Amino acid sequence: MDEKRLRRALERALLIALATPPLVAAACASAPNSSSTSGSSTLTASGGSGGATGSGADTGAVMDGGTSDADAAPGPCDGVPFVPEPADTCGAYVRFPCGLPPQVKPYADCYIPLNQCGFLCADLAFNCHVVGDACLDGGFVPDAEAGVDVDCATCPGGVGRIPAGLRRAQARPRARSAVGEHFAQVARLEAASIAAFARLRDELRAHGAPESLARRAERARRDEVRHARLCARVARRFGGAPAPARVEAIGPRSLDEIAIENAVEGVVRETFGAAIAGFQAARAADPEIASLMRSVARDEARHAALSWAVARWAAPRLPRRAREEMASRCRRAIEGLRQAAASVPVAEELAIAAGLPGREAQLALLEALDLGLWRGARGME
Ligand SMILES: [Fe+2]
Ligand SMILES: [Fe+2]
């Protein structure tokens, strides 16, 4: 997949997605997973009395013990963060040993109404859903004895290239607007991408890749420095405060690990991110955001093309099992984006000011990319 062909496929996908009707805010307002927190009652991980109330901004307290005092000792039923196998860089996983609080009611495909994710997830969650044994054939099967695992999706679809070892944010970003909150999270993920490309540059060199690939990774790193700075500026303009992106150092990795991460984060997520940015460039009502997204879309398409080039170089050097694993992780990543797009409402303010595509447009983008790029790619089928 050379850059020219990838850009043509992105343009085709964009044309299809832009033909979908603009987001109708009323549809979100009445959705079961509306981001409104009105009417939220007091919730704790144990479902008992007391604990964090109302605003999702209190989630840290719930995670830390189910009271409004973050320093209180955790209760036996409070959520415990864990790392799934394989690790998911876009999900913060929490196990609730006694099951979900009774007020939390998952709906289709085990997704939890967005206004309740704030009580279960410490990070800003773009969606959250039950995973593991408690989600059977798309239906929630409560099992208080075994506990319930929840995946809190922490990456807006396709934003940034998330490096292994990215630490969870210490606190949910607070802002006076959805746009400020969104760009605070985006700025953090763009900052995480700086580390991702620095690591990719070094790992490519360590594994003897052509120097041209390492140089492209270095250029992408510099792009991400600019993206992080400009997104932080937009966040601050709308009252948001980006948290720093802390990435733990990791030891040398095998080519298998690098190639699989590249496939998920680059071939799938950055490619989708480039399409989303292109959509925002066309639709954002805010001129500063529209102009920012125009340059981000161009850069992200180049980053996506680099990911495809890295995949092309690495694939023939991988054992068959690793190639199969890469293909299966790609399919899962695409499916994850599709599920998130299908279930997460986009706030009206974000759809208008930032031009974020709604459900239909995101699904159209994904379908066009799947047909035009992913499905036909060697090793992805
Ligand atoms: Fe970026
Ligand atoms: Fe990027």
Side-chain angles (χ1 to χ4, degrees), residues 331 334-343 363 366-367 370 375:
R331 296 308 318 170
I334 294 164
E335 197 42 46
L337 288 174
R338 202 172 268 142
Q339 283 182 5
S343 61
L363 289 173
L366 284 165
E367 188 59 20
D370 202 7
R375 212 171 290 174

Side-chain angles (χ1 to χ4, degrees), residues 24-36 107 113-115 342-346 359:
V24 179
C28 294
S30 60
N33 51 353
S34 160
S35 59
S36 161
Y107 57 101
L114 197 57
N115 62 336
S343 61
V344 182
V346 174
R359 177 182 181 279

Side-chain angles (χ1 to χ4, degrees), residues 160-161 190 193 197 220 224 227 270 299-300 303:
R161 184 182 177 109
E190 294 284 10
S193 306
F197 278 113
E224 302 296 12
H227 296 177
E270 278 211 298
D299 295 343
E300 296 301 345
H303 303 175

